Amino acid sequence: MSLPRYPEYRDSGAAWIGSLPVHWQARQARRLFEQRRDSACPDDEQLSATQKYGVIPQRLFMEQEDQKLVLALSGLDNFKHVEPNDFVISLRSFQGGIERSLNAGCVSPAYTVLRPSSGLAARYWEYLLKCAPYIAALQTTTDGIREGKNISYSQFGALVLPLAPATEQVAIAAFLDRETAKIDALIAEQEKLIALLAEKRQATISHAVTRGLNPDAPMKDSGVAWLGEVPAHWGMRRLKSVSDFTTSGPRGWSDRIAEDGSLFVQSGDLNESLGVDFAAAKRVKVEDGAEAARTLLSDGDIVVCITGAKTGNVAVCSSVPEPAYVNQHLCLVRPNPEVVPLFLGVALKSSVGETQFELSQYGLKQGLSLENVRETLIPLPSLSEQALIVAFLETETAKVDALRLEAERAIVLLTERRSALIAAAVTGQIDVRGALPQSA
């Protein structure tokens, strides 16, 4: 959508705004928003100021984020009352802007409550106080601010804000509501596509490593209820029988992390495409000894995350660029000559490994043991068939990954478009009045 600029502009006097339409004003924030210190009412619900959801009841935030937050059970004597359409400066406002509340309630005394002057359209200011140029300007007023500290009312109040006429504030908010909804719908479509591609990728891998590439091959019962049939000429092997050894990384090496030294691979370095991001790995000082020798990665080694949020994630170290070691949260598997490393990697990454890793963690157990990994069952064709399956999957997953990257790029562009559109509208760089639907 190509939108015109206003007919005439003047300098706003604020670097972050630049020029303003001549009939707009530039006003300090303290002239537009007053600080409120009203005490919480006895029946006020406790609110939480979040960048993701705005200011919402804390119980809803707990549900949506699946978190356990401590409510102020000892009383709300020091809490501040909030009215609908008040704005709240939270502890992270320097990162994501200032949040609008749609609810009455109370917030922590650590927060600053702002009440807009009469005649200000709350929805317009909700866009403006969270737009990228405003956040950047807000950060310049907070020298030395760090996580856990707040933006003061005086810092907020000193910033100059663009003040459009009341009718234009309403018009701009309505325009942005409509246009950002369109962009958000397009982003949601791309996100849905990415999810479908991930499902297709996993299904392709799982089918190849459990059914093979020949749809006419005779089948037999695998002997595993959840796995079903496998090609009749395949075997079923435990991972320990197709690997030279399995081991976990050493404990205590996190204390040796340094600027230089050998690569130190951790669970966060395992990507979702069966690889290791060696470029992002930290470094560690390594001493000679048996512990170092057994945890040194070699080309073709497989790494399985055995604890933490990424438990069950798998990577194949097709090429190790320099000496690299695994940490204690990873299991190193060294395949023997009976198996193609990439085949074993995709088998562990497929529903075959995923299901067994999940079953091993059933109940209160968190993480996998080395024995869990060693006992994993693998459907195993001949080496030549393993190589064919790997080649097929490399081709097919490359197609899916290309589509995923295209969708991810589309999301980035749409997100940038959304941000730029908001910034241009709330600062008067585009005139949206003619873009509004005409009433009948």
Side-chain angles (χ1 to χ4, degrees), residues 29-70:
R30 65 171 173 263
R31 307 296 182 191
L32 302 174
F33 294 84
E34 66 170 322
Q35 182 178 8
R36 302 291 299 194
R37 296 188 177 90
D38 304 330
S39 297
C41 300
D43 59 347
D44 271 351
E45 182 171 15
Q46 191 173 340
L47 306 176
S48 183
T50 73
Q51 291 182 33
K52 189 173 181 180
Y53 307 108
V55 183
I56 62 173
Q58 196 170 63
R59 58 180 173 78
L60 292 181
F61 179 71
M62 293 166 65
E63 292 172 6
Q64 291 172 350
E65 293 294 301
D66 194 23
Q67 293 183 7
K68 292 183 179 180
L69 300 179
V70 179

Short mmCIF file of all heavy atoms in Angstrom, two decimals, residues 29-70:
data_model
loop_
_atom_site.label_atom_id
_atom_site.label_comp_id
_atom_site.label_asym_id
_atom_site.label_seq_id
_atom_site.Cartn_x
_atom_site.Cartn_y
_atom_site.Cartn_z
N ALA A 29 6.23 14.29 27.27
CA ALA A 29 5.33 13.24 27.74
C ALA A 29 4.68 13.59 29.08
O ALA A 29 3.53 13.22 29.32
CB ALA A 29 6.11 11.92 27.87
N ARG A 30 5.37 14.31 29.93
CA ARG A 30 4.78 14.65 31.23
C ARG A 30 3.59 15.59 31.10
O ARG A 30 2.79 15.71 32.03
CB ARG A 30 5.84 15.25 32.16
CG ARG A 30 6.42 16.57 31.73
CD ARG A 30 7.28 17.15 32.85
NE ARG A 30 7.98 18.34 32.42
CZ ARG A 30 9.24 18.35 32.00
NH1 ARG A 30 9.92 17.21 31.93
NH2 ARG A 30 9.82 19.47 31.64
N ARG A 31 3.47 16.28 29.93
CA ARG A 31 2.31 17.15 29.69
C ARG A 31 1.10 16.33 29.22
O ARG A 31 -0.02 16.85 29.21
CB ARG A 31 2.65 18.19 28.63
CG ARG A 31 3.89 19.02 28.90
CD ARG A 31 3.73 19.86 30.14
NE ARG A 31 4.90 20.69 30.37
CZ ARG A 31 5.13 21.37 31.50
NH1 ARG A 31 4.25 21.31 32.49
NH2 ARG A 31 6.23 22.09 31.64
N LEU A 32 1.36 15.09 28.84
CA LEU A 32 0.29 14.25 28.29
C LEU A 32 -0.11 13.12 29.22
O LEU A 32 -1.24 12.62 29.16
CB LEU A 32 0.73 13.67 26.94
CG LEU A 32 1.12 14.69 25.86
CD1 LEU A 32 1.68 13.97 24.64
CD2 LEU A 32 -0.07 15.56 25.48
N PHE A 33 0.82 12.68 30.07
CA PHE A 33 0.56 11.57 30.98
C PHE A 33 0.96 11.98 32.39
O PHE A 33 2.09 12.45 32.61
CB PHE A 33 1.37 10.33 30.57
CG PHE A 33 0.97 9.74 29.26
CD1 PHE A 33 1.49 10.24 28.06
CD2 PHE A 33 0.09 8.66 29.20
CE1 PHE A 33 1.13 9.69 26.85
CE2 PHE A 33 -0.27 8.11 27.98
CZ PHE A 33 0.24 8.63 26.81
N GLU A 34 0.06 11.79 33.33
CA GLU A 34 0.39 12.06 34.73
C GLU A 34 0.73 10.77 35.45
O GLU A 34 0.23 9.70 35.11
CB GLU A 34 -0.76 12.77 35.45
CG GLU A 34 -2.01 11.93 35.61
CD GLU A 34 -3.04 12.56 36.53
OE1 GLU A 34 -2.62 13.16 37.54
OE2 GLU A 34 -4.24 12.44 36.24
N GLN A 35 1.62 10.87 36.42
CA GLN A 35 1.95 9.70 37.22
C GLN A 35 0.91 9.52 38.32
O GLN A 35 0.55 10.48 39.01
CB GLN A 35 3.34 9.86 37.85
CG GLN A 35 3.79 8.66 38.66
CD GLN A 35 5.19 8.84 39.23
OE1 GLN A 35 5.77 9.92 39.16
NE2 GLN A 35 5.73 7.77 39.80
N ARG A 36 0.41 8.30 38.47
CA ARG A 36 -0.60 8.01 39.48
C ARG A 36 -0.01 7.10 40.56
O ARG A 36 0.70 6.14 40.26
CB ARG A 36 -1.80 7.32 38.86
CG ARG A 36 -2.47 8.11 37.75
CD ARG A 36 -3.17 9.35 38.26
NE ARG A 36 -4.24 9.04 39.21
CZ ARG A 36 -5.15 9.92 39.59
NH1 ARG A 36 -5.14 11.16 39.11
NH2 ARG A 36 -6.09 9.57 40.44
N ARG A 37 -0.31 7.43 41.81
CA ARG A 37 0.15 6.61 42.94
C ARG A 37 -1.03 6.17 43.81
O ARG A 37 -0.89 5.99 45.01
CB ARG A 37 1.15 7.40 43.79
CG ARG A 37 2.44 7.77 43.04
CD ARG A 37 3.44 8.38 44.02
NE ARG A 37 4.71 8.69 43.40
CZ ARG A 37 5.01 9.84 42.82
NH1 ARG A 37 4.09 10.81 42.76
NH2 ARG A 37 6.19 10.05 42.29
N ASP A 38 -2.19 5.99 43.20
CA ASP A 38 -3.37 5.58 43.95
C ASP A 38 -3.14 4.21 44.58
O ASP A 38 -2.66 3.28 43.92
CB ASP A 38 -4.59 5.51 43.03
CG ASP A 38 -4.84 6.84 42.31
OD1 ASP A 38 -4.52 7.88 42.89
OD2 ASP A 38 -5.35 6.80 41.17
N SER A 39 -3.52 4.07 45.83
CA SER A 39 -3.36 2.79 46.52
C SER A 39 -4.34 1.76 45.95
O SER A 39 -5.43 2.11 45.49
CB SER A 39 -3.61 2.95 48.01
OG SER A 39 -2.65 3.83 48.57
N ALA A 40 -3.94 0.52 45.98
CA ALA A 40 -4.79 -0.56 45.49
C ALA A 40 -6.08 -0.62 46.29
O ALA A 40 -6.10 -0.39 47.50
CB ALA A 40 -4.05 -1.88 45.59
N CYS A 41 -7.17 -0.92 45.61
CA CYS A 41 -8.46 -1.12 46.27
C CYS A 41 -8.51 -2.53 46.87
O CYS A 41 -7.83 -3.44 46.38
CB CYS A 41 -9.60 -0.94 45.27
SG CYS A 41 -9.65 0.70 44.51
N PRO A 42 -9.30 -2.72 47.91
CA PRO A 42 -9.36 -4.03 48.56
C PRO A 42 -9.70 -5.18 47.62
O PRO A 42 -9.23 -6.30 47.81
CB PRO A 42 -10.44 -3.85 49.63
CG PRO A 42 -10.46 -2.38 49.91
CD PRO A 42 -10.15 -1.72 48.61
N ASP A 43 -10.54 -4.91 46.61
CA ASP A 43 -10.96 -5.98 45.71
C ASP A 43 -10.19 -5.99 44.39
O ASP A 43 -10.57 -6.67 43.44
CB ASP A 43 -12.46 -5.89 45.43
CG ASP A 43 -12.84 -4.54 44.79
OD1 ASP A 43 -11.98 -3.62 44.81
OD2 ASP A 43 -13.97 -4.42 44.30
N ASP A 44 -9.08 -5.23 44.31
CA ASP A 44 -8.28 -5.19 43.08
C ASP A 44 -7.65 -6.55 42.79
O ASP A 44 -7.12 -7.21 43.69
CB ASP A 44 -7.16 -4.15 43.19
CG ASP A 44 -7.61 -2.77 42.74
OD1 ASP A 44 -8.72 -2.66 42.19
OD2 ASP A 44 -6.85 -1.80 42.95
N GLU A 45 -7.70 -6.93 41.52
CA GLU A 45 -6.98 -8.14 41.10
C GLU A 45 -5.55 -7.76 40.75
O GLU A 45 -5.29 -6.70 40.16
CB GLU A 45 -7.67 -8.76 39.88
CG GLU A 45 -7.02 -10.05 39.42
CD GLU A 45 -7.82 -10.77 38.36
OE1 GLU A 45 -8.72 -10.14 37.77
OE2 GLU A 45 -7.56 -11.96 38.12
N GLN A 46 -4.62 -8.63 41.11
CA GLN A 46 -3.21 -8.36 40.82
C GLN A 46 -2.95 -8.52 39.33
O GLN A 46 -3.31 -9.52 38.72
CB GLN A 46 -2.31 -9.29 41.62
CG GLN A 46 -0.83 -8.89 41.57
CD GLN A 46 0.01 -9.74 42.51
OE1 GLN A 46 -0.53 -10.35 43.45
NE2 GLN A 46 1.30 -9.80 42.28
N LEU A 47 -2.31 -7.50 38.74
CA LEU A 47 -2.01 -7.49 37.31
C LEU A 47 -0.52 -7.68 37.08
O LEU A 47 0.31 -7.40 37.95
CB LEU A 47 -2.45 -6.16 36.68
CG LEU A 47 -3.90 -5.74 36.88
CD1 LEU A 47 -4.15 -4.37 36.29
CD2 LEU A 47 -4.85 -6.77 36.26
N SER A 48 -0.20 -8.14 35.90
CA SER A 48 1.19 -8.32 35.51
C SER A 48 1.45 -7.57 34.21
O SER A 48 0.68 -7.70 33.26
CB SER A 48 1.49 -9.81 35.32
OG SER A 48 2.85 -10.04 35.02
N ALA A 49 2.50 -6.76 34.18
CA ALA A 49 2.86 -6.01 32.97
C ALA A 49 3.84 -6.84 32.14
O ALA A 49 4.95 -7.13 32.59
CB ALA A 49 3.48 -4.67 33.35
N THR A 50 3.40 -7.23 30.94
CA THR A 50 4.22 -8.09 30.09
C THR A 50 4.37 -7.48 28.71
O THR A 50 3.47 -6.80 28.23
CB THR A 50 3.57 -9.48 29.94
OG1 THR A 50 2.42 -9.38 29.09
CG2 THR A 50 3.14 -10.04 31.30
N GLN A 51 5.49 -7.75 28.07
CA GLN A 51 5.69 -7.27 26.70
C GLN A 51 4.84 -8.05 25.72
O GLN A 51 4.43 -7.53 24.68
CB GLN A 51 7.16 -7.40 26.32
CG GLN A 51 8.09 -6.44 27.05
CD GLN A 51 9.52 -6.57 26.60
OE1 GLN A 51 9.79 -6.86 25.44
NE2 GLN A 51 10.45 -6.38 27.52
N LYS A 52 4.56 -9.30 26.03
CA LYS A 52 3.86 -10.17 25.09
C LYS A 52 2.36 -9.95 25.09
O LYS A 52 1.71 -9.98 24.04
CB LYS A 52 4.18 -11.63 25.44
CG LYS A 52 3.70 -12.64 24.42
CD LYS A 52 4.21 -14.02 24.79
CE LYS A 52 3.78 -15.07 23.78
NZ LYS A 52 4.29 -16.41 24.15
N TYR A 53 1.78 -9.71 26.28
CA TYR A 53 0.33 -9.63 26.39
C TYR A 53 -0.17 -8.28 26.86
O TYR A 53 -1.38 -8.08 26.97
CB TYR A 53 -0.18 -10.70 27.38
CG TYR A 53 0.29 -12.10 27.07
CD1 TYR A 53 1.24 -12.73 27.88
CD2 TYR A 53 -0.21 -12.80 25.98
CE1 TYR A 53 1.68 -14.02 27.61
CE2 TYR A 53 0.23 -14.09 25.70
CZ TYR A 53 1.16 -14.69 26.52
OH TYR A 53 1.59 -15.96 26.25
N GLY A 54 0.71 -7.34 27.18
CA GLY A 54 0.29 -6.09 27.78
C GLY A 54 0.10 -6.26 29.27
O GLY A 54 0.72 -7.12 29.90
N VAL A 55 -0.78 -5.46 29.86
CA VAL A 55 -1.07 -5.57 31.29
C VAL A 55 -2.31 -6.43 31.46
O VAL A 55 -3.41 -6.03 31.07
CB VAL A 55 -1.28 -4.17 31.92
CG1 VAL A 55 -1.50 -4.30 33.42
CG2 VAL A 55 -0.07 -3.28 31.65
N ILE A 56 -2.12 -7.61 32.02
CA ILE A 56 -3.23 -8.56 32.14
C ILE A 56 -3.25 -9.13 33.56
O ILE A 56 -2.25 -9.04 34.28
CB ILE A 56 -3.11 -9.72 31.13
CG1 ILE A 56 -1.82 -10.52 31.37
CG2 ILE A 56 -3.16 -9.19 29.70
CD1 ILE A 56 -1.73 -11.78 30.52
N PRO A 57 -4.37 -9.72 33.98
CA PRO A 57 -4.40 -10.37 35.29
C PRO A 57 -3.29 -11.41 35.41
O PRO A 57 -3.04 -12.18 34.48
CB PRO A 57 -5.79 -11.02 35.31
CG PRO A 57 -6.63 -10.15 34.43
CD PRO A 57 -5.69 -9.73 33.32
N GLN A 58 -2.63 -11.39 36.55
CA GLN A 58 -1.49 -12.28 36.72
C GLN A 58 -1.88 -13.75 36.61
O GLN A 58 -1.11 -14.57 36.11
CB GLN A 58 -0.80 -12.01 38.06
CG GLN A 58 0.59 -12.61 38.14
CD GLN A 58 1.34 -12.15 39.36
OE1 GLN A 58 0.93 -12.41 40.48
NE2 GLN A 58 2.45 -11.46 39.14
N ARG A 59 -3.10 -14.08 37.02
CA ARG A 59 -3.53 -15.48 36.91
C ARG A 59 -3.59 -15.92 35.44
O ARG A 59 -3.28 -17.08 35.11
CB ARG A 59 -4.90 -15.67 37.58
CG ARG A 59 -5.99 -14.79 37.01
CD ARG A 59 -7.34 -14.97 37.67
NE ARG A 59 -8.27 -13.96 37.19
CZ ARG A 59 -8.88 -14.01 36.02
NH1 ARG A 59 -8.66 -15.03 35.20
NH2 ARG A 59 -9.72 -13.06 35.64
N LEU A 60 -3.99 -15.00 34.53
CA LEU A 60 -4.02 -15.33 33.11
C LEU A 60 -2.62 -15.49 32.56
O LEU A 60 -2.35 -16.37 31.73
CB LEU A 60 -4.77 -14.25 32.32
CG LEU A 60 -6.27 -14.13 32.57
CD1 LEU A 60 -6.86 -13.03 31.69
CD2 LEU A 60 -6.97 -15.45 32.30
N PHE A 61 -1.71 -14.63 33.02
CA PHE A 61 -0.32 -14.74 32.58
C PHE A 61 0.26 -16.09 33.01
O PHE A 61 0.97 -16.75 32.24
CB PHE A 61 0.50 -13.59 33.15
CG PHE A 61 1.95 -13.64 32.75
CD1 PHE A 61 2.34 -13.37 31.45
CD2 PHE A 61 2.94 -13.97 33.67
CE1 PHE A 61 3.68 -13.41 31.07
CE2 PHE A 61 4.27 -14.01 33.31
CZ PHE A 61 4.64 -13.74 32.01
N MET A 62 -0.05 -16.50 34.22
CA MET A 62 0.43 -17.79 34.71
C MET A 62 -0.10 -18.93 33.85
O MET A 62 0.64 -19.86 33.52
CB MET A 62 -0.02 -17.97 36.17
CG MET A 62 0.65 -17.01 37.14
SD MET A 62 -0.19 -16.97 38.76
CE MET A 62 0.10 -18.63 39.35
N GLU A 63 -1.36 -18.86 33.46
CA GLU A 63 -1.96 -19.91 32.63
C GLU A 63 -1.35 -19.94 31.23
O GLU A 63 -1.01 -21.00 30.70
CB GLU A 63 -3.47 -19.69 32.52
CG GLU A 63 -4.22 -19.89 33.83
CD GLU A 63 -5.68 -19.47 33.73
OE1 GLU A 63 -6.11 -19.13 32.59
OE2 GLU A 63 -6.38 -19.47 34.75
N GLN A 64 -1.21 -18.75 30.63
CA GLN A 64 -0.73 -18.68 29.26
C GLN A 64 0.74 -19.07 29.12
O GLN A 64 1.15 -19.64 28.11
CB GLN A 64 -0.97 -17.27 28.70
CG GLN A 64 -2.44 -16.96 28.49
CD GLN A 64 -2.70 -15.52 28.12
OE1 GLN A 64 -1.82 -14.68 28.17
NE2 GLN A 64 -3.93 -15.22 27.74
N GLU A 65 1.53 -18.77 30.13
CA GLU A 65 2.95 -19.08 30.08
C GLU A 65 3.30 -20.36 30.82
O GLU A 65 4.47 -20.74 30.87
CB GLU A 65 3.76 -17.91 30.67
CG GLU A 65 3.70 -16.64 29.83
CD GLU A 65 4.37 -16.81 28.48
OE1 GLU A 65 5.57 -17.12 28.44
OE2 GLU A 65 3.67 -16.65 27.46
N ASP A 66 2.29 -21.00 31.41
CA ASP A 66 2.50 -22.22 32.19
C ASP A 66 3.60 -22.00 33.24
O ASP A 66 4.53 -22.79 33.38
CB ASP A 66 2.88 -23.38 31.27
CG ASP A 66 2.79 -24.73 31.97
OD1 ASP A 66 2.05 -24.82 32.96
OD2 ASP A 66 3.48 -25.67 31.55
N GLN A 67 3.47 -20.90 33.96
CA GLN A 67 4.44 -20.54 34.99
C GLN A 67 3.77 -20.48 36.34
O GLN A 67 2.56 -20.27 36.45
CB GLN A 67 5.09 -19.18 34.69
CG GLN A 67 5.96 -19.15 33.46
CD GLN A 67 6.62 -17.80 33.28
OE1 GLN A 67 6.52 -16.93 34.13
NE2 GLN A 67 7.29 -17.63 32.16
N LYS A 68 4.58 -20.64 37.35
CA LYS A 68 4.10 -20.47 38.71
C LYS A 68 4.66 -19.16 39.25
O LYS A 68 5.87 -19.03 39.46
CB LYS A 68 4.55 -21.64 39.59
CG LYS A 68 3.90 -22.96 39.22
CD LYS A 68 4.32 -24.07 40.16
CE LYS A 68 3.63 -25.37 39.80
NZ LYS A 68 4.04 -26.48 40.71
N LEU A 69 3.80 -18.18 39.40
CA LEU A 69 4.21 -16.89 39.94
C LEU A 69 3.64 -16.73 41.34
O LEU A 69 2.57 -17.22 41.66
CB LEU A 69 3.71 -15.75 39.04
CG LEU A 69 4.23 -15.78 37.60
CD1 LEU A 69 3.64 -14.62 36.83
CD2 LEU A 69 5.74 -15.72 37.57
N VAL A 70 4.38 -16.01 42.16
CA VAL A 70 3.96 -15.82 43.54
C VAL A 70 3.07 -14.59 43.63
O VAL A 70 3.50 -13.47 43.35
CB VAL A 70 5.18 -15.65 44.47
CG1 VAL A 70 4.71 -15.42 45.90
CG2 VAL A 70 6.07 -16.87 44.39
#
